[in-house]
Amino acid sequence: MSEVRFKELRHAPPMAVNFAKAVLRARVRPGNAPVLPDEGLRLNDVAQKSRHLAAYRQVCGFSADGHLPITYPHMHAFPLHMALILGDGFPFPAMGLVHVRNRITQFRPIGEREQLNIKCYTGNLTQVEKGYEFSIFTVVSTAGERVWQSESVNFHRGGGHGEKKSPDAQRDKQTTAPAPDLIEEWEVPGDTGRRYASVSGDRNPIHLYPLTAKAFGFKRQIAHGMWSKARCLAALQPELPEQAFTVDVRFKLPMFIPAKVKFARTRQNDGLDFQLLAADGVKPHLSGEVRPVSE
């Protein structure tokens, strides 16, 4: 991929406009040789809104500690993600994309009142067994200092060649998780998708109501993957490092809500492993790990 050319925005793209474009571009097909655009988006001087931050903490379970929750910068980045995949030259439709993995690195705690500069771009287009995977990268800085970054891996079904499996699928087969040292049971209400949508702007119909989810082939609404990740990290908040660390999560089976789930955490020598499981304690909704950043 050639060097990314960034377009600077004055305001975050309105989510209502983004979703309207998603409907209009629903018939886009990647063709035989899809290529990602070499354009990125940049949004500077993003201030934190105390009411929005409080609402996010409430729906995800974070306590107020003077710093942004580890997943909160994604709230600012998501409208840019949507704008990128809805650009005229993007080879895949937004509707039907599956968020399969998310990796966040926080280089230091971010204060509630810091203004953020955000840039997003795409890359790592890979043809896998059943389709294509690509990444959306986000870099957050303040006063010239990089403080946060993420990689969101998305999957488009169709066009795969049946040869190369996703790296995540290969790794999951090779990994046997040790017995957890903490298990908690959580109740996830049926309105969780609507509550998270109200703060994230992600009003994908599959997350809202049984009827809207059924229109897209689901038996009822499912929880947002990034809500599930945030909820797990809220449970781990007292244990998260002060120094630079990475949280890598793989999204697995959808969580139909309302639901009863089990959160399992295992201490490792250099970090934490965690899982969010169905009520049977076996079927996984996500698995993740917290690790310090190597110097």
Side-chain angles (χ1 to χ4, degrees):
M1 181 177 177
S2 59
E3 183 178 354
V4 178
R5 294 174 291 121
F6 286 96
K7 175 184 178 182
E8 189 159 335
L9 304 177
R10 291 187 177 182
H11 306 284
M15 290 302 296
V17 173
N18 280 339
F19 279 107
K21 288 182 178 179
V23 173
L24 294 174
R25 298 190 79 252
R27 296 183 179 275
V28 169
R29 294 295 179 267
N32 295 325
V35 176
L36 296 176
D38 59 0
E39 294 183 351
L41 296 174
R42 181 162 47 210
L43 183 64
N44 292 330
D45 302 324
V46 177
Q48 313 309 315
K49 297 180 179 179
S50 57
R51 287 187 179 181
H52 185 267
L53 178 56
Y56 180 83
R57 283 174 170 147
Q58 184 176 36
V59 73
C60 297
F62 289 99
S63 61
D65 61 0
H67 297 104
L68 299 184
I70 175 68
T71 46
Y72 188 72
H74 181 78
M75 295 295 95
H76 296 305
F78 182 69
L80 276 66
H81 289 196
M82 287 290 292
L84 283 173
I85 64 179
L86 293 171
D88 291 338
F90 200 78
F92 306 110
M95 300 180 72
L97 290 178
V98 180
H99 193 180
V100 294
R101 179 176 168 183
N102 179 269
R103 175 184 292 159
I104 291 173
T105 299
Q106 180 174 276
F107 296 96
R108 66 159 174 82
I110 305 171
E112 291 180 353
R113 297 187 179 184
E114 293 190 68
Q115 291 193 341
L116 307 179
N117 300 323
I118 302 163
K119 62 180 183 180
C120 302
Y121 59 98
T122 59
N124 289 356
L125 177 61
T126 305
Q127 191 174 26
V128 294
E129 183 182 21
K130 296 181 180 180
Y132 291 92
E133 288 185 356
F134 66 92
S135 296
I136 304 178
F137 297 96
T138 301
V139 179
V140 176
S141 62
T142 179
E145 176 192 7
R146 182 183 59 167
V147 293
W148 190 97
Q149 67 184 30
S150 74
E151 179 184 3
S152 295
V153 181
N154 293 272
F155 170 71
H156 169 79
R157 183 177 295 276
H161 48 47
E163 296 175 4
K164 184 176 181 180
K165 292 183 179 292
S166 163
D168 294 332
Q170 295 177 12
R171 180 169 62 176
D172 288 344
K173 286 187 175 183
Q174 297 168 358
T175 302
T176 301
D181 51 38
L182 171 71
I183 298 178
E184 297 178 352
E185 292 189 348
W186 298 342
E187 297 272 354
V188 183
D191 67 349
T192 300
R194 298 191 293 277
R195 292 174 60 222
Y196 185 76
S198 70
V199 296
S200 68
D202 185 355
R203 291 182 170 83
N204 188 322
I206 65 175
H207 301 304
L208 303 181
Y209 298 96
L211 187 61
T212 57
K214 286 178 181 178
F216 290 87
F218 294 90
K219 60 183 181 182
R220 62 180 187 273
Q221 70 270 36
I222 63 174
H224 294 75
M226 287 303 293
W227 175 86
S228 298
K229 178 172 184 173
R231 181 65 185 87
C232 290
L233 291 169
L236 295 173
Q237 185 175 358
E239 303 176 74
L240 296 178
E242 286 289 320
Q243 68 275 21
F245 69 97
T246 293
V247 184
D248 199 350
V249 158
R250 294 168 295 285
F251 301 112
K252 298 184 178 182
L253 298 176
M255 182 198 304
F256 294 99
I257 52 177
K260 292 182 179 180
V261 296
K262 291 183 177 179
F263 171 72
R265 185 263 282 150
T266 307
R267 289 185 177 276
Q268 298 291 347
N269 291 335
D270 59 346
L272 295 163
D273 289 348
F274 59 95
Q275 289 182 297
L276 194 58
L277 306 168
D280 61 7
V282 177
K283 293 190 287 291
H285 295 305
L286 67 76
S287 65
E289 59 185 42
V290 178
R291 293 291 185 273
V293 173
S294 301
E295 297 295 337

